[in-house]
Structures are given as structure tokens and as C-alpha cells.
Amino acid sequence: MVDYANVDMSHVVQCVQCTLKNRRLAEFGDNQVDTAMFYNSRSEIYLRQGKYELALKSSTTSLKILQAKLGDNHEKMATPYYNLARAQHHLGYYEQALENMNRVLAIDSRHMSADDPRLQATKDNIEKIKSDWPAKTNLSKE
């Protein structure tokens, strides 16, 4: 098991980028599902590093490729939507984050059993976004 607390994530990002470039050019091409999954993996690394703008960009690239290849409701769409929502949440884009986390819930609800703990985790994430959203907070002093 890897102890991620002691892993140099910048080195991991470089490895993923190198692998992405080589595999994309050699096997997949720019608009293939496997290429999209590499972008998604890179967004997860950026999220762990707190590089939310880069995570946003990688997640968006992944989504565009997957939407073109699989359609918006395919089960593989849930993870890049999840990463996109996480990046948006951290950047303060609460409306977009909530919209994308709700997409995750809708996709996963079609492909998972109702008692799958990941569905509850997504619901919890939705509530977290709502609770962090300043526009949804009653700031008036009565």
C-alpha cells in the first residue's frame, strides 16, 4: 500500500504527464476514452496538491472527451464530474459545483444500488457545498 503522505506528488504529476503524452500519441489519440481517464487522474493529483485551477482544467478536458465519446449519462462520466465539482467548490464556484455534484448523484443513482455508500457520500458532498455557499447563507442580522 502506498503512503501518499510521503509521496512527492510533483514527481507523480510529471510521470502522469509523460505517460499521457507518450500513450496519447502512440496509441489513443487526443480524443479517446483512455486519454480522458489520464486527464482525470491528473486532476485527482492536482486536487490532492491544492492546485484547483489545474484540476479544473484537467477535469474539463476529461469531460469534453468523454462527452463526445460516451454521452453525458455514461457511468464513466461520474468521476470527472466529481473532480470538477471538487475543484469548483474549492475555488468558490458553488453554483457550478452543486450542479456537477448533482450530476454525479444522478449518474451514480442509475448505476449503483440504493444502499451503495458512495451515493450517501455524494449526498454528503452536496450538503457540504450548500453549507459553504455564501449566497445560500442567511447573513441578515435580525
PDB file of all heavy atoms in Angstrom, residues 15-30 32 34-35 38:
ATOM      1  N   CYS A  15       5.291  12.186 -14.043  1.00  0.00           N
ATOM      2  CA  CYS A  15       5.170  10.829 -14.598  1.00  0.00           C
ATOM      3  C   CYS A  15       3.863  10.656 -15.359  1.00  0.00           C
ATOM      4  O   CYS A  15       3.841  10.089 -16.452  1.00  0.00           O
ATOM      5  CB  CYS A  15       5.276   9.784 -13.496  1.00  0.00           C
ATOM      6  SG  CYS A  15       6.926   9.641 -12.799  1.00  0.00           S
ATOM      7  N   VAL A  16       2.768  11.141 -14.766  1.00  0.00           N
ATOM      8  CA  VAL A  16       1.465  11.035 -15.425  1.00  0.00           C
ATOM      9  C   VAL A  16       1.470  11.833 -16.723  1.00  0.00           C
ATOM     10  O   VAL A  16       0.990  11.370 -17.756  1.00  0.00           O
ATOM     11  CB  VAL A  16       0.328  11.488 -14.487  1.00  0.00           C
ATOM     12  CG1 VAL A  16      -0.982  11.638 -15.244  1.00  0.00           C
ATOM     13  CG2 VAL A  16       0.174  10.507 -13.335  1.00  0.00           C
ATOM     14  N   GLN A  17       2.028  13.043 -16.695  1.00  0.00           N
ATOM     15  CA  GLN A  17       2.075  13.861 -17.905  1.00  0.00           C
ATOM     16  C   GLN A  17       2.906  13.198 -18.995  1.00  0.00           C
ATOM     17  O   GLN A  17       2.516  13.195 -20.164  1.00  0.00           O
ATOM     18  CB  GLN A  17       2.617  15.249 -17.586  1.00  0.00           C
ATOM     19  CG  GLN A  17       1.637  16.092 -16.801  1.00  0.00           C
ATOM     20  CD  GLN A  17       2.235  17.403 -16.335  1.00  0.00           C
ATOM     21  OE1 GLN A  17       3.429  17.521 -16.129  1.00  0.00           O
ATOM     22  NE2 GLN A  17       1.381  18.386 -16.149  1.00  0.00           N
ATOM     23  N   CYS A  18       4.037  12.644 -18.626  1.00  0.00           N
ATOM     24  CA  CYS A  18       4.892  11.961 -19.593  1.00  0.00           C
ATOM     25  C   CYS A  18       4.161  10.748 -20.172  1.00  0.00           C
ATOM     26  O   CYS A  18       4.154  10.535 -21.381  1.00  0.00           O
ATOM     27  CB  CYS A  18       6.200  11.542 -18.932  1.00  0.00           C
ATOM     28  SG  CYS A  18       7.344  10.750 -20.072  1.00  0.00           S
ATOM     29  N   THR A  19       3.544   9.977 -19.296  1.00  0.00           N
ATOM     30  CA  THR A  19       2.798   8.801 -19.748  1.00  0.00           C
ATOM     31  C   THR A  19       1.655   9.213 -20.645  1.00  0.00           C
ATOM     32  O   THR A  19       1.417   8.608 -21.696  1.00  0.00           O
ATOM     33  CB  THR A  19       2.271   8.004 -18.532  1.00  0.00           C
ATOM     34  OG1 THR A  19       3.390   7.628 -17.737  1.00  0.00           O
ATOM     35  CG2 THR A  19       1.524   6.766 -18.972  1.00  0.00           C
ATOM     36  N   LEU A  20       0.937  10.254 -20.238  1.00  0.00           N
ATOM     37  CA  LEU A  20      -0.178  10.752 -21.039  1.00  0.00           C
ATOM     38  C   LEU A  20       0.291  11.131 -22.433  1.00  0.00           C
ATOM     39  O   LEU A  20      -0.292  10.720 -23.436  1.00  0.00           O
ATOM     40  CB  LEU A  20      -0.826  11.952 -20.354  1.00  0.00           C
ATOM     41  CG  LEU A  20      -1.897  12.696 -21.138  1.00  0.00           C
ATOM     42  CD1 LEU A  20      -3.072  11.783 -21.431  1.00  0.00           C
ATOM     43  CD2 LEU A  20      -2.352  13.915 -20.374  1.00  0.00           C
ATOM     44  N   LYS A  21       1.342  11.901 -22.503  1.00  0.00           N
ATOM     45  CA  LYS A  21       1.851  12.360 -23.797  1.00  0.00           C
ATOM     46  C   LYS A  21       2.258  11.174 -24.667  1.00  0.00           C
ATOM     47  O   LYS A  21       1.868  11.083 -25.831  1.00  0.00           O
ATOM     48  CB  LYS A  21       3.029  13.299 -23.590  1.00  0.00           C
ATOM     49  CG  LYS A  21       3.602  13.834 -24.875  1.00  0.00           C
ATOM     50  CD  LYS A  21       4.768  14.767 -24.613  1.00  0.00           C
ATOM     51  CE  LYS A  21       5.365  15.257 -25.917  1.00  0.00           C
ATOM     52  NZ  LYS A  21       6.547  16.081 -25.695  1.00  0.00           N
ATOM     53  N   ASN A  22       3.026  10.260 -24.108  1.00  0.00           N
ATOM     54  CA  ASN A  22       3.516   9.125 -24.883  1.00  0.00           C
ATOM     55  C   ASN A  22       2.394   8.194 -25.322  1.00  0.00           C
ATOM     56  O   ASN A  22       2.338   7.772 -26.474  1.00  0.00           O
ATOM     57  CB  ASN A  22       4.559   8.346 -24.089  1.00  0.00           C
ATOM     58  CG  ASN A  22       5.837   9.135 -23.902  1.00  0.00           C
ATOM     59  OD1 ASN A  22       6.140  10.033 -24.683  1.00  0.00           O
ATOM     60  ND2 ASN A  22       6.579   8.823 -22.854  1.00  0.00           N
ATOM     61  N   ARG A  23       1.484   7.864 -24.404  1.00  0.00           N
ATOM     62  CA  ARG A  23       0.400   6.935 -24.759  1.00  0.00           C
ATOM     63  C   ARG A  23      -0.591   7.595 -25.701  1.00  0.00           C
ATOM     64  O   ARG A  23      -1.098   6.964 -26.611  1.00  0.00           O
ATOM     65  CB  ARG A  23      -0.307   6.437 -23.509  1.00  0.00           C
ATOM     66  CG  ARG A  23       0.599   5.498 -22.715  1.00  0.00           C
ATOM     67  CD  ARG A  23      -0.150   4.766 -21.685  1.00  0.00           C
ATOM     68  NE  ARG A  23      -0.962   3.749 -22.326  1.00  0.00           N
ATOM     69  CZ  ARG A  23      -1.796   2.963 -21.671  1.00  0.00           C
ATOM     70  NH1 ARG A  23      -1.922   3.069 -20.374  1.00  0.00           N
ATOM     71  NH2 ARG A  23      -2.520   2.068 -22.302  1.00  0.00           N
ATOM     72  N   ARG A  24      -0.883   8.872 -25.456  1.00  0.00           N
ATOM     73  CA  ARG A  24      -1.831   9.579 -26.315  1.00  0.00           C
ATOM     74  C   ARG A  24      -1.324   9.582 -27.747  1.00  0.00           C
ATOM     75  O   ARG A  24      -2.061   9.294 -28.684  1.00  0.00           O
ATOM     76  CB  ARG A  24      -2.031  11.000 -25.802  1.00  0.00           C
ATOM     77  CG  ARG A  24      -3.047  11.777 -26.613  1.00  0.00           C
ATOM     78  CD  ARG A  24      -3.278  13.151 -26.042  1.00  0.00           C
ATOM     79  NE  ARG A  24      -2.047  13.922 -26.124  1.00  0.00           N
ATOM     80  CZ  ARG A  24      -1.722  14.898 -25.303  1.00  0.00           C
ATOM     81  NH1 ARG A  24      -2.515  15.245 -24.321  1.00  0.00           N
ATOM     82  NH2 ARG A  24      -0.595  15.556 -25.448  1.00  0.00           N
ATOM     83  N   LEU A  25      -0.079   9.899 -27.909  1.00  0.00           N
ATOM     84  CA  LEU A  25       0.491   9.960 -29.256  1.00  0.00           C
ATOM     85  C   LEU A  25       0.649   8.575 -29.864  1.00  0.00           C
ATOM     86  O   LEU A  25       0.396   8.386 -31.044  1.00  0.00           O
ATOM     87  CB  LEU A  25       1.836  10.675 -29.220  1.00  0.00           C
ATOM     88  CG  LEU A  25       1.788  12.155 -28.827  1.00  0.00           C
ATOM     89  CD1 LEU A  25       3.203  12.701 -28.687  1.00  0.00           C
ATOM     90  CD2 LEU A  25       0.982  12.958 -29.821  1.00  0.00           C
ATOM     91  N   ALA A  26       1.056   7.617 -29.067  1.00  0.00           N
ATOM     92  CA  ALA A  26       1.358   6.299 -29.594  1.00  0.00           C
ATOM     93  C   ALA A  26       0.120   5.449 -29.850  1.00  0.00           C
ATOM     94  O   ALA A  26       0.054   4.737 -30.839  1.00  0.00           O
ATOM     95  CB  ALA A  26       2.286   5.552 -28.632  1.00  0.00           C
ATOM     96  N   GLU A  27      -0.858   5.521 -28.932  1.00  0.00           N
ATOM     97  CA  GLU A  27      -1.961   4.582 -29.020  1.00  0.00           C
ATOM     98  C   GLU A  27      -3.328   5.209 -29.201  1.00  0.00           C
ATOM     99  O   GLU A  27      -4.105   4.783 -30.038  1.00  0.00           O
ATOM    100  CB  GLU A  27      -2.031   3.746 -27.734  1.00  0.00           C
ATOM    101  CG  GLU A  27      -0.852   2.848 -27.492  1.00  0.00           C
ATOM    102  CD  GLU A  27      -0.983   2.123 -26.170  1.00  0.00           C
ATOM    103  OE1 GLU A  27      -2.097   1.745 -25.811  1.00  0.00           O
ATOM    104  OE2 GLU A  27       0.042   1.954 -25.513  1.00  0.00           O
ATOM    105  N   PHE A  28      -3.628   6.188 -28.377  1.00  0.00           N
ATOM    106  CA  PHE A  28      -5.008   6.591 -28.227  1.00  0.00           C
ATOM    107  C   PHE A  28      -5.438   7.741 -29.117  1.00  0.00           C
ATOM    108  O   PHE A  28      -6.571   7.799 -29.554  1.00  0.00           O
ATOM    109  CB  PHE A  28      -5.297   6.976 -26.770  1.00  0.00           C
ATOM    110  CG  PHE A  28      -4.935   5.914 -25.791  1.00  0.00           C
ATOM    111  CD1 PHE A  28      -4.149   6.206 -24.700  1.00  0.00           C
ATOM    112  CD2 PHE A  28      -5.376   4.612 -25.942  1.00  0.00           C
ATOM    113  CE1 PHE A  28      -3.810   5.228 -23.786  1.00  0.00           C
ATOM    114  CE2 PHE A  28      -5.043   3.632 -25.040  1.00  0.00           C
ATOM    115  CZ  PHE A  28      -4.258   3.938 -23.961  1.00  0.00           C
ATOM    116  N   GLY A  29      -4.582   8.694 -29.336  1.00  0.00           N
ATOM    117  CA  GLY A  29      -5.005   9.925 -29.975  1.00  0.00           C
ATOM    118  C   GLY A  29      -5.567  10.869 -28.917  1.00  0.00           C
ATOM    119  O   GLY A  29      -5.791  10.483 -27.777  1.00  0.00           O
ATOM    120  N   ASP A  30      -5.775  12.101 -29.299  1.00  0.00           N
ATOM    121  CA  ASP A  30      -6.180  13.117 -28.334  1.00  0.00           C
ATOM    122  C   ASP A  30      -7.591  12.949 -27.808  1.00  0.00           C
ATOM    123  O   ASP A  30      -7.914  13.446 -26.739  1.00  0.00           O
ATOM    124  CB  ASP A  30      -6.061  14.514 -28.956  1.00  0.00           C
ATOM    125  CG  ASP A  30      -4.626  14.973 -29.041  1.00  0.00           C
ATOM    126  OD1 ASP A  30      -3.795  14.435 -28.291  1.00  0.00           O
ATOM    127  OD2 ASP A  30      -4.348  15.855 -29.863  1.00  0.00           O
ATOM    128  N   GLN A  32      -9.639  10.112 -27.098  1.00  0.00           N
ATOM    129  CA  GLN A  32     -10.034   8.758 -26.764  1.00  0.00           C
ATOM    130  C   GLN A  32     -10.366   8.644 -25.275  1.00  0.00           C
ATOM    131  O   GLN A  32      -9.892   9.443 -24.464  1.00  0.00           O
ATOM    132  CB  GLN A  32      -8.919   7.784 -27.142  1.00  0.00           C
ATOM    133  CG  GLN A  32      -8.595   7.768 -28.618  1.00  0.00           C
ATOM    134  CD  GLN A  32      -9.772   7.366 -29.489  1.00  0.00           C
ATOM    135  OE1 GLN A  32     -10.524   6.463 -29.152  1.00  0.00           O
ATOM    136  NE2 GLN A  32      -9.943   8.039 -30.608  1.00  0.00           N
ATOM    137  N   ASP A  34      -9.398   6.499 -23.023  1.00  0.00           N
ATOM    138  CA  ASP A  34      -8.230   6.294 -22.161  1.00  0.00           C
ATOM    139  C   ASP A  34      -7.456   7.591 -21.933  1.00  0.00           C
ATOM    140  O   ASP A  34      -6.937   7.835 -20.851  1.00  0.00           O
ATOM    141  CB  ASP A  34      -7.299   5.226 -22.734  1.00  0.00           C
ATOM    142  CG  ASP A  34      -7.886   3.835 -22.624  1.00  0.00           C
ATOM    143  OD1 ASP A  34      -8.670   3.595 -21.679  1.00  0.00           O
ATOM    144  OD2 ASP A  34      -7.564   2.984 -23.471  1.00  0.00           O
ATOM    145  N   THR A  35      -7.390   8.433 -22.946  1.00  0.00           N
ATOM    146  CA  THR A  35      -6.744   9.735 -22.784  1.00  0.00           C
ATOM    147  C   THR A  35      -7.516  10.571 -21.777  1.00  0.00           C
ATOM    148  O   THR A  35      -6.926  11.221 -20.906  1.00  0.00           O
ATOM    149  CB  THR A  35      -6.668  10.468 -24.135  1.00  0.00           C
ATOM    150  OG1 THR A  35      -5.946   9.648 -25.057  1.00  0.00           O
ATOM    151  CG2 THR A  35      -5.970  11.810 -23.998  1.00  0.00           C
ATOM    152  N   PHE A  38      -6.680   9.586 -18.304  1.00  0.00           N
ATOM    153  CA  PHE A  38      -5.401  10.143 -17.851  1.00  0.00           C
ATOM    154  C   PHE A  38      -5.571  11.582 -17.376  1.00  0.00           C
ATOM    155  O   PHE A  38      -5.033  11.976 -16.350  1.00  0.00           O
ATOM    156  CB  PHE A  38      -4.344  10.077 -18.955  1.00  0.00           C
ATOM    157  CG  PHE A  38      -3.639   8.767 -19.039  1.00  0.00           C
ATOM    158  CD1 PHE A  38      -3.899   7.899 -20.072  1.00  0.00           C
ATOM    159  CD2 PHE A  38      -2.723   8.394 -18.069  1.00  0.00           C
ATOM    160  CE1 PHE A  38      -3.252   6.676 -20.145  1.00  0.00           C
ATOM    161  CE2 PHE A  38      -2.066   7.175 -18.137  1.00  0.00           C
ATOM    162  CZ  PHE A  38      -2.335   6.314 -19.176  1.00  0.00           C
TER     163      PHE A  38
END
